[in-house]
Amino acid sequence: MRFQPTKPFIYGESPERLGASLKAAGQPAFRAKQILEWLYKQWVSSFEEMTNLPLSLREWLDKNYHLAPSNTVIVKRSSDITEKLLIEQQDRSLIETVLIRYPQRGVGQEDSRKTICVSSQIGCAYGCKFCASGLDGWRRDLHAGEIVAQFLHVARLEAERERREPKDGVPFDNIVFMGMGEPLANYDNVVQAIRTLNADWGLHFGARRITISTSGLVPEIRKLADEPIQFRLALSLHGATNEVRSRIMPINRRYPLEELLPAVAYFAEKHGRMLTLEYILIEDVNDSFDQAEALSRIARDLHAHVNVIPYNRVEGLNWKRPNIKRQMAFSQVLRSNQVSHTVRKEKGHDIDAACGQLRLRTEKERAS
Ligand code: SAH
Ligand code: SF4
């Protein structure tokens, strides 16, 4: 399904484009700067609030741009520290955004307390066998403006709870593109959203605290490596040999490890940062000693940090997480090979934490 908004989202606009359309409407150049300040330094949620603009300009903005209004449909707080929000878009599509209030001990994230996990698409076309986001296929891409609006929606809620003001800065330490969808399959919108999050005229959020997670789209990883913004990359590896990876991730048949690993090495080299390898541990699928050994070799060659994530059950799928003993044995192999790694104590198990699940369930309920 394609969603063509009737007018552009203002959050997706660069200063240049906004300036050009204001100029064409006969407005002075300084108005673009004022509007960007209202959007990103004041976090207003309507054009009406832009009180230093003439009424006619506010009306013009309203006529020509969407402010991407979105509603929170459900907020689910887990017994631990995870909170999941289901946010409705204009076309009634639902996206998931997760807030994790927990020290992330991954590379470079030692000081992190609060991470926001954003979605880049509605559904996903890549069909990894263990993942709820891909179960119903791909529905549509999110526009850059919708991604930024998603972020601001949660930032406003969180700031209100903490009695913070926009001038106190964004209330998150990290942004990860690990929600629904494959960010690199929606490349232009994701990169434009990151520009807005990072820019001085935008939300001024440090690029090194932004991570894109990908299932391994080789040409886009290479293209991303050449982008000037210094964000981080996480690779969803989940299998340390082609045989195992292809069983659970169809993308591996298109871009096998011998093409994928040099592409991520190129990214690491261009960005001068350590990569993260995500490795979901699934019982009897990828949790053998052989896989742990093969994973160690890959991680050492790439100087990467490994995030071992015990699998989260997905309704309707038969995969299981290995027991603690087996998780520890896997970790022990990595340790003995001196691989930097963490075994994640999964948060939010009781709120459909695996991405895409809450949305699927809610859509089914809506349809019935
Ligand atoms: N499409 C991108 C980003 C979204 S998925 C990617 O695949 O990297 C974000 C992470 O959640 C990925 O590492 C994905 O493999 C993981 N994930 C998906 N389903 C999961 C589950 N049931 N349990 C644990 N992690 C899961
Ligand atoms: Fe898509 Fe990522 Fe889920 Fe695979 S793991 S289906 S790429 S969202």
Side-chain angles (χ1 to χ4, degrees):
M1 189 185 84
R2 286 207 71 78
F3 167 60
Q4 255 331 318
T6 45
K7 40 192 179 178
F9 292 110
I10 197 153
Y11 287 123
E13 296 291 51
S14 62
E16 298 75 29
R17 277 182 52 153
L18 184 61
S21 66
L22 285 164
K23 194 172 169 205
Q27 294 289 337
F30 67 89
R31 293 291 183 209
K33 189 163 176 278
Q34 285 179 318
I35 294 168
L36 293 171
E37 283 189 0
W38 283 113
L39 293 174
Y40 302 117
K41 312 296 176 207
Q42 304 291 336
W43 307 356
V44 294
S45 44
S46 74
F47 292 119
E48 270 172 38
E49 291 167 67
M50 301 183 172
T51 47
N52 62 354
L53 305 184
L55 183 62
S56 60
L57 177 55
R58 282 182 261 161
E59 285 170 354
W60 180 86
L61 286 169
D62 198 34
K63 206 166 132 217
N64 288 283
Y65 289 103
H66 277 306
L67 202 60
S70 43
N71 297 311
T72 309
V73 177
I74 297 180
V75 180
K76 278 204 174 184
R77 193 184 279 261
S78 116
S79 55
D80 50 38
I81 326 163
T82 305
E83 186 170 323
K84 184 170 266 196
L85 291 96
L86 210 54
I87 303 176
E88 187 176 62
Q89 304 302 297
Q90 280 194 331
D91 60 349
R92 292 204 77 216
S93 297
L94 297 172
I95 57 169
E96 289 188 13
T97 312
V98 184
L99 244 181
I100 307 153
R101 292 186 181 81
Y102 187 69
Q104 300 280 298
R105 296 208 187 83
V107 171
Q109 300 185 332
E110 292 80 357
D111 59 344
S112 149
R113 300 262 143 216
K114 210 182 288 173
T115 299
I116 177 172
C117 173
V118 295
S119 291
S120 56
Q121 297 183 305
I122 298 175
C124 181
Y126 288 85
C128 302
K129 302 278 192 262
F130 47 80
C131 174
S133 291
L135 272 182
D136 247 7
W138 172 84
R139 179 95 50 90
R140 71 171 176 88
D141 289 342
L142 289 180
H143 288 255
E146 290 176 302
I147 298 172
V148 176
Q150 166 189 184
F151 176 84
L152 271 171
H153 185 106
V154 187
R156 279 190 205 103
L157 287 176
E158 192 61 12
E160 204 176 299
R161 285 179 191 151
E162 292 191 343
R163 296 172 204 282
R164 286 166 65 123
E165 311 247 335
K167 68 171 166 44
D168 302 326
V170 171
F172 312 120
D173 303 299
N174 286 292
I175 306 173
V176 294
F177 281 79
M178 291 189 189
M180 230 196 309
E182 168 51 52
L184 296 192
N186 186 16
Y187 191 96
D188 291 345
N189 284 307
V190 166
V191 169
Q192 176 61 23
I194 290 178
R195 263 189 213 124
T196 310
L197 294 170
N198 173 242
D200 290 347
W201 53 262
L203 284 148
H204 201 52
F205 193 90
R208 284 157 194 234
R209 296 187 287 139
I210 302 176
T211 302
I212 298 185
S213 174
T214 180
S215 58
L217 275 61
V218 166
E220 285 78 10
I221 292 171
R222 290 190 173 274
K223 191 168 158 197
L224 201 63
D226 295 330
E227 295 283 349
I229 307 178
Q230 291 295 307
F231 40 75
R232 292 170 181 273
L233 186 69
L235 173 68
S236 290
L237 192 65
H238 310 327
T241 54
N242 280 327
E243 196 230 327
V244 170
R245 194 166 191 264
S246 293
R247 258 179 78 195
I248 50 177
M249 299 183 74
I251 182 86
N252 196 65
R253 290 192 205 113
R254 191 146 108 219
Y255 302 118
L257 293 174
E258 55 279 17
E259 287 178 38
L260 176 58
L261 299 178
V264 292
Y266 177 68
F267 181 95
E269 185 191 311
K270 289 289 294 248
H271 279 231
R273 346 226 81 238
M274 212 176 187
L275 290 165
T276 303
L277 300 175
E278 307 279 335
Y279 197 94
I280 305 180
L281 218 48
I282 312 177
E283 187 178 88
D284 293 334
V285 173
N286 63 1
D287 61 343
S288 68
F289 288 136
D290 284 354
Q291 285 291 300
E293 288 290 350
L295 174 60
S296 302
R297 286 191 290 276
I298 294 174
R300 275 206 318 249
D301 283 353
L302 291 170
H303 304 290
H305 177 85
V306 180
N307 253 337
V308 179
I309 310 159
Y311 182 62
N312 258 324
R313 271 316 271 262
V314 173
E315 209 174 288
L317 299 179
N318 284 328
W319 313 99
K320 287 199 197 88
R321 76 164 50 175
N323 63 32
I324 293 281
K325 217 173 128 199
R326 199 143 169 110
Q327 294 173 26
M328 289 305 120
F330 193 90
S331 165
Q332 181 51 41
V333 176
L334 299 183
R335 193 171 312 116
S336 63
N337 287 321
Q338 291 172 335
V339 172
S340 155
H341 72 288
T342 25
V343 180
R344 194 191 293 172
K345 190 172 163 291
E346 200 51 65
K347 296 281 137 199
H349 207 58
D350 54 336
I351 54 159
D352 311 303
C355 50
Q357 280 206 76
L358 182 60
R359 165 197 161 241
L360 266 192
R361 179 173 307 169
T362 310
E363 291 210 328
K364 276 189 199 139
E365 282 166 10
R366 271 182 169 182
S368 63

